[in-house]
Amino acid sequence: MAKGSDRKRREKWAIYLGEACKYLALVCIAMLGFSIRLFSVIKYESVIHEFDPYFNYRVTQFLTKEGFYDLWNWFDDRTWYPLGRVIGGTVYPGLIFTAGTMYKILHFFNIPIHVQEVCVFTAPLFSAFCALACYGLVKEIRGVGAGLLASAFVACVPSYISRSVAGSFDNEGVAIFALVNVFYLFIKTVNTGSLFWATMSVLGYLYMVMSWGGYSFIINLLPIYCLTVIASGKLNARVYVAFAPLIIVGTLMSASIPVVGFNAVLMSEHFGAFFTFAVLHAALLVQYMRRMLPPRHFKVVVTMVLTGAAAAIGVGLAIVIAYVLRSPTLGWTGRSLSLLDPTYAGRFIPIIASVSEHQPPSWTSYIMDLHILVFFAPAGIIACFSRSNLGTLFLILYGVTAVYFSGVMVRLMLVLAPAACCLGAVAISDLLATLASSLKAGVRQALSGKPAPEESVDAVEADTDADAVAAAAASARSVTPAKAGKDKEDKSKEEKEKPKKKKKDEEAKSYYALPIPAVLGLLALLCTMLAMGVIHCVHASADMYSSPSIVLQSWRQDGSMHVFDDFREAYAWLRHNTHREAKVASWWDYGYQTTAMANRTVVVDNNTWNTTHIATVGRAMSSPEYKAWQIYRSLDVDYVFVVFGGLVGYPSDDINKFLWMVRIGGGVYPEIKEPDYLANGNDYRVDASATKTMLNTLMYRLSYLDFADESQLSFGQRGLDRVRQTVIGKLNFKLTYFEEVFTSQHWMMRIYRVRDKPLRDPSQNIKAKRSAVKSKRA
């Protein structure tokens, strides 16, 4: 008895130690996910990155000052002049509400922190939460070991780091956590059939809808999963409990968010969910009738039910088709059509095609953003097929659909990243289980000189989750007497099938038994690959994704670092040297930054909701100076600025973006034709071979004014554009309708005032005086 009690005590302490190690590992992984995203703060300072985050930061500032209710009714007259923008009805409020709530909580506990610091660290914090959610998802599917691996991978995968570093205050910073969290809660509901978890899943979906327009991925993936479950014959009540409330209650709750509204029931993106909801009920009805009716009657009733259902579905489809045909895009948004047809944006919506993150990724992007997961994720799909259940089926569908969408749009690599982490973790977990079992068997054989026991070589059972075992034991204790007879029948069937299963298990075990040298070699190779993955992730976070676009740096030949702070320098000049009500025009990329940092009214910004307004700015930039002056005067514009990188070699300047201005402007104004700006009809140039139309555009003149003299002084080559690596076509010219008022230190930002009247040409005045004198003498 004493030996038995000691053994139980040791087993109990072993369980406690295992649980403690698990939670300690999760804490370390969460800290890793947070800290690996802080390089931008360490190397630069606590600053907001990129373009879109500045709008979110500005709205969060308003929220903390005016409150949640006033945000819904805020009409912003400093954007899209003279139209303005209703902020509450055009913004996904999840990120803003999250940061505002954290700010309020911190100040409630008398922690005096600026709202900018809250915004800077929101994305790293939710990256840690995403790692925990990823652990929960994979644990529900394949166990604790695979869950911990998935959590570690998602904490440091470069694709996710790229949009969640400190300062990246964009919707994706919290939306990827919300996405994975919805999937975790959904699978948890599928495994348990609990209404509590179904309710949590609906609330998680609501937060996802509030956070990002990518919620449409969820509302389309879950119906695909449900239809696959029905087709594979695995439908049960737990799937219904997980799916039905999310579709009905989740859709009703999402419709209460102003930016979504009735689109939740009127757009084609959601119709698949409603169709699947109807098919799910029909399938459950067929299952119910199969249990209740004799086979003969069942066939008759099913025929009648299926006939009626087909007729009802036909009528419904006719109504839906008639409704959809009223829309030129068949009820789909432009971005959704771009995903279904990758050529659609390039042919019809150049404003979408002009965004770099909407371009298809190259193969090198997958290696850069996923690294070793590129090799392990496909293996994870195979591993999921080898032990198929409702959870692994979902993971397979998630991975396959995410791969497709990431191949269409590089931005959606974010959606692929968690899927690749989960699948890669499943593959590596199974591999480690196989190697550990083989090593254990080999060591026992070497010590005893006898063949190892069969149960010690079972690689599949090595990954069994303790929680799943406990749940099975609990369900066994909860068997009612009414089900006892059925359980006995099931047991008798299992006993009959035991010899077959034992034979298969023996074959599998003999297959998994590997020699010790092979095991050690594979372990060394796996550890090397994982170490290389960690080094790559740290390098990507520190050197590639932590540089804020608003502050740039380069390395001198002596090894010292040179900082380019031209953007903030120019915005500060606008803020302190222009009238508070001044209107500023630029390309739409810089609208959010101008409003947030310069606090001036802009004509267009990054929201891109009004293509005509953006096309008007594109028309002005691609027009001659006089015509552009007329356009800007009609819009009450006081200042125009351009971003120019020809002096320092900054490639993301407006000259390189100019053809998109032509294309977008030409989409609304037919007089703008792209071939007029291309040498020989297909070559974009700024040198002497450039077309006359190109050399006379406002963009060219604002960018290259006095550039020839400055380049001569800076690096001794007159008129050499260091980005285009060519001497510009027109060296000496003056402006008549615009006046240069500010050029930043490195010439990256050039600001011009729109004159009230054109500047008089002195030569013209002299000619006029001479002609007047001659006329008097005559």
Side-chain angles (χ1 to χ4, degrees), residues 644-650 707 710-711 714-715 720-723 745-747:
F644 175 65
L647 188 69
V648 294
Y650 176 63
F707 173 70
E710 182 64 26
S711 59
S714 297
F715 45 85
L720 177 64
D721 188 322
R722 298 177 68 179
V723 174
Q745 179 183 357
H746 304 97
W747 276 51

Side-chain angles (χ1 to χ4, degrees), residues 247-477:
I247 297 303
I248 299 304
V249 181
T251 299
L252 293 175
M253 295 177 71
S254 62
S256 64
I257 301 172
V259 69
V260 178
F262 285 104
N263 289 335
V265 293
L266 296 178
M267 298 301 292
S268 296
E269 287 95 335
H270 303 81
F271 290 165
F274 303 143
F275 171 76
T276 305
F277 182 76
V279 172
L280 177 64
H281 282 81
L284 289 173
L285 179 60
V286 170
Q287 283 189 355
Y288 174 76
M289 290 188 297
R290 185 190 298 273
R291 291 195 304 269
M292 300 301 295
L293 297 176
R296 184 177 177 182
H297 295 166
F298 170 73
K299 292 181 180 179
V300 176
V301 174
V302 165
T303 302
M304 296 174 58
V305 170
L306 292 180
T307 302
I313 291 174
V315 173
L317 286 176
I319 295 173
V320 170
I321 291 173
Y323 167 75
V324 165
L325 289 177
R326 297 172 56 190
S327 169
T329 60
L330 302 180
W332 296 87
T333 62
R335 283 183 171 84
S336 297
L337 285 175
S338 300
L339 294 176
L340 299 175
D341 178 9
T343 65
Y344 179 83
R347 290 183 289 123
F348 300 108
I349 314 178
I351 188 67
I352 294 179
S354 67
V355 182
S356 59
E357 62 186 17
H358 292 168
Q359 305 300 318
S362 61
W363 282 110
T364 55
S365 298
Y366 286 94
I367 302 298
M368 177 63 219
D369 287 346
L370 301 177
H371 203 247
I372 60 172
L373 295 176
V374 170
F375 307 102
F376 286 112
I381 294 179
I382 298 173
C384 288
F385 274 115
S386 66
R387 291 174 59 189
S388 178
N389 55 43
L390 291 176
T392 56
L393 178 61
F394 174 81
L395 202 55
I396 291 169
L397 292 174
Y398 178 24
V400 172
T401 53
V403 166
Y404 167 75
F405 288 120
S406 68
V408 175
M409 192 177 291
V410 67
R411 181 183 187 183
L412 295 182
M413 290 285 288
L414 276 171
V415 178
L416 174 62
C421 292
C422 295
L423 291 169
V426 168
I428 295 176
S429 176
D430 284 5
L431 177 60
L432 287 174
T434 301
L435 296 178
S437 299
S438 299
L439 184 62
K440 183 179 178 182
V443 170
R444 283 187 178 182
Q445 183 178 1
L447 293 176
S448 63
K450 299 179 180 179
E454 291 181 353
E455 66 269 16
S456 66
V457 197
D458 190 353
V460 177
E461 293 180 1
D463 195 42
T464 303
D465 186 9
D467 295 339
V469 174
S475 64
R477 291 193 298 270

Side-chain angles (χ1 to χ4, degrees), residues 38-47 49 542-543 545-548 550-555 561-564 568:
L38 302 183
F39 283 106
S40 60
V41 176
I42 296 172
K43 295 174 65 175
Y44 296 92
E45 58 181 287
S46 180
V47 61
H49 292 204
D543 299 329
Y545 294 136
S546 292
S547 300
I550 200 166
V551 180
L552 307 175
Q553 68 175 10
S554 66
W555 297 95
M561 184 178 66
H562 184 72
V563 176
F564 298 86
R568 292 194 297 182

Side-chain angles (χ1 to χ4, degrees), residues 621-633:
M621 291 297 190
S622 55
S623 298
E625 184 184 355
Y626 172 69
K627 189 174 181 179
W629 176 75
Q630 289 180 315
I631 294 172
Y632 282 136
R633 289 293 295 168

